[in-house]
Amino acid sequence: MKNKLFKTSLISSLAMVASALSVSSAFAEDVHWDDVVKKAEGQSVYFHAWGGSQEINRYLQWAGKELKAQYGVNFNHVKVTDIAETGSRLLAEKAAGKNSGGSVDMVWINGENFKSMKDNALLYGPFVSDLPNWQYVDKSLPVDSDFSEPTEGLEAPWGVGQLVFIHDTQSLNNPPVSYMEMLNYAKAYPNKLSYPKPPEFHGTSFLKSLLIELTDNDPSLAKPVDQADFAGVTQPLWNYLDEFHKVAWRGGKQFPAGTAETIQLLDDGQIDLAITFNPNAVYSAQASGNLSDTTTAYAMESGALSNIHFLAVPWNANAKEGALVAINFLLSPEAQSRKGDINVWGDPSVLNKQYLKGSAAKTQQFKSVAEPHPSWQSALEQEWLKRYGS
């Protein structure tokens, strides 16, 4: 899923507008779920979500057919490369006073995008605990916090993400299990390792994971960025990358566009490690013929950067009821079992395993490493682009 802080100037210009508006309650006391379902029938839901994965796109096509058949809801996947684009659109609609009939009904978000939308009062709710399928969610997962930001019922958990690496056991049976080992491997085998170019989500996640290990998870990473300390805290990261880029794929002058390209480069034998935020992505890629059966996923010894990704409804959605029905369906055991099927998408489920069927109930999860405070996302991206973006 994509994460990028909206333009600071745009947020600042709308801060007074946002602060003057409060988040409304999703359900009045006399409104029942049956009423929501009735109103949803015939509505068209425009769901803004990353469109960079064939497996995810096919899954959402299936979900759309089910929503149409079961509830009469027209479900439209609006494919975006970065959900920050949607955030900018919502901010513009708020600035224009468009408080109903909005162009976006539902969004796939987490991390910095959620905090930005929440801070600018762009989200409808709270609604999550009113969803009938909320009862199936595994409450032992951090479903009420998003990159340390309380969700307050404004977004529903949809899946679990973990930053892991994929390698081919035939060509590399002993992959690096720490970032220092990765640097040593890159020096020993030049032109065989890389990572997606920030601010692409997986590229920025790589930077955060690397920074956590290099600083032994400095306590400041759990707090808002302090510009006075930023240079000192991050210096080990830039020192590492200066060395890594010299021996990286294409000399660190070019970077893959995203996880899909790293998987393709791995399959072509150009690089030795692909990167993904889904431990089961390797199985989905194998099933679709994009990776050999000898590939497998693993996490660093210190653990895998982990988070929950969520679904939310904008405050001015034109099809609020349709969006709520869609989110509730996507939280159903039926939809979560299919999403977790390694032959479909393989996204780890947020439901208690007793409600899941097939391979979704057997998903492996690695030791978790918590995400830094959301403010580190943009700070790292901006500094990376300043140093290496040209």
Side-chain angles (χ1 to χ4, degrees):
M1 222 328 278
K2 309 297 178 182
N3 285 282
K4 184 178 179 183
L5 185 64
F6 306 150
K7 296 292 185 182
T8 303
S9 59
L10 185 55
I11 292 178
S12 299
S13 67
L14 291 167
M16 293 182 66
V17 177
S19 62
L21 293 170
S22 60
V23 179
S24 61
S25 175
F27 292 89
E29 288 186 7
D30 59 344
V31 174
H32 301 287
W33 183 251
D34 287 346
D35 298 323
V36 174
V37 173
K38 288 177 183 177
K39 289 182 180 179
E41 187 173 359
Q43 289 186 349
S44 293
V45 173
Y46 291 90
F47 175 38
H48 283 230
W50 183 53
S53 164
Q54 292 181 354
E55 290 82 10
I56 296 173
N57 295 343
R58 284 195 293 265
Y59 172 76
L60 290 175
Q61 290 172 2
W62 168 85
K65 292 176 182 177
E66 292 299 313
L67 282 164
K68 180 67 173 178
Q70 297 184 35
Y71 301 101
V73 171
N74 302 303
F75 188 71
N76 305 283
H77 177 194
V78 180
K79 299 173 184 176
V80 296
T81 56
D82 192 324
I83 206 66
E85 302 165 11
T86 301
S88 296
R89 174 186 292 205
L90 292 173
L91 282 167
E93 290 184 1
K94 174 148 286 190
K98 191 176 182 62
N99 293 316
S100 62
S103 61
V104 183
D105 299 299
M106 186 172 148
V107 290
W108 180 15
I109 57 172
N110 74 344
E112 197 133 24
N113 286 314
F114 169 66
K115 180 168 174 54
S116 295
M117 290 188 188
K118 180 185 176 185
D119 287 350
N120 287 277
L122 300 179
L123 298 176
Y124 174 73
F127 68 88
V128 175
S129 62
D130 293 310
L131 299 174
N133 288 332
W134 174 247
Q135 63 182 305
Y136 303 122
V137 172
D138 182 356
K139 310 304 191 299
S140 71
L141 295 170
V143 294
D144 57 357
S145 178
D146 190 347
F147 284 56
S148 78
E149 180 71 24
T151 59
E152 298 178 353
L154 298 175
E155 55 177 2
W158 193 26
V160 182
Q162 292 195 302
L163 189 72
V164 297
F165 298 90
I166 302 173
H167 68 105
D168 192 323
T169 57
Q170 279 195 338
S171 57
L172 176 59
N173 61 6
N174 189 27
V177 294
S178 72
Y179 287 107
M180 290 311 300
E181 284 192 13
M182 180 180 287
L183 179 58
N184 291 333
Y185 183 90
K187 290 178 177 179
Y189 302 95
N191 204 43
K192 298 297 287 185
L193 295 181
S194 189
Y195 59 94
K197 182 179 181 179
E200 194 278 336
F201 171 69
H202 297 85
T204 304
S205 296
F206 176 83
L207 297 185
K208 290 187 288 184
S209 180
L210 178 54
L211 180 62
I212 288 170
E213 180 178 303
L214 294 177
T215 63
D216 197 22
N217 205 357
D218 190 297
S220 64
L221 298 178
K223 304 172 184 177
V225 171
D226 183 343
Q227 287 300 331
D229 298 329
F230 179 77
V233 173
T234 60
Q235 193 56 51
L237 172 64
W238 314 124
N239 291 342
Y240 181 103
L241 293 178
D242 286 345
E243 287 192 62
F244 183 76
H245 290 169
K246 294 175 184 176
V247 290
W249 179 71
R250 300 200 170 173
K253 303 297 184 183
Q254 184 178 342
F255 298 85
T259 181
E261 187 174 353
T262 69
I263 288 175
Q264 183 62 57
L265 290 170
L266 174 65
D267 193 50
D268 291 344
Q270 291 195 49
I271 61 175
D272 289 344
L273 291 177
I275 191 170
T276 178
F277 225 98
N278 178 359
N280 292 330
V282 61
Y283 304 117
S284 298
Q286 289 170 349
S288 58
N290 292 327
L291 280 177
S292 72
D293 292 340
T294 55
T295 52
T296 189
Y298 78 102
M300 292 299 182
E301 265 184 351
S302 57
L305 188 71
S306 304
N307 62 53
I308 306 290
H309 50 93
F310 296 83
L311 301 170
V313 181
W315 94 103
N316 67 343
N318 187 55
K320 285 189 176 75
E321 294 83 6
L324 293 171
V325 167
I327 292 174
N328 188 63
F329 171 75
L330 291 172
L331 277 179
S332 67
E334 174 192 6
Q336 286 276 308
S337 292
R338 185 176 181 87
K339 183 164 73 77
D341 188 329
I342 60 175
N343 293 310
V344 178
W345 176 355
D347 190 46
S349 177
V350 294
L351 303 192
N352 282 299
K353 290 190 176 181
Q354 69 192 81
Y355 303 115
L356 300 169
K357 296 180 179 179
S359 58
K362 303 174 183 177
T363 297
Q364 178 186 6
Q365 291 191 23
F366 297 93
K367 175 185 173 184
S368 294
V369 174
E371 287 273 5
H373 185 274
S375 59
W376 286 89
Q377 180 104 0
S378 179
L380 289 173
E381 290 171 349
Q382 291 175 19
E383 185 64 21
W384 189 97
L385 289 170
K386 185 169 70 174
R387 290 172 176 264
Y388 312 114
S390 58

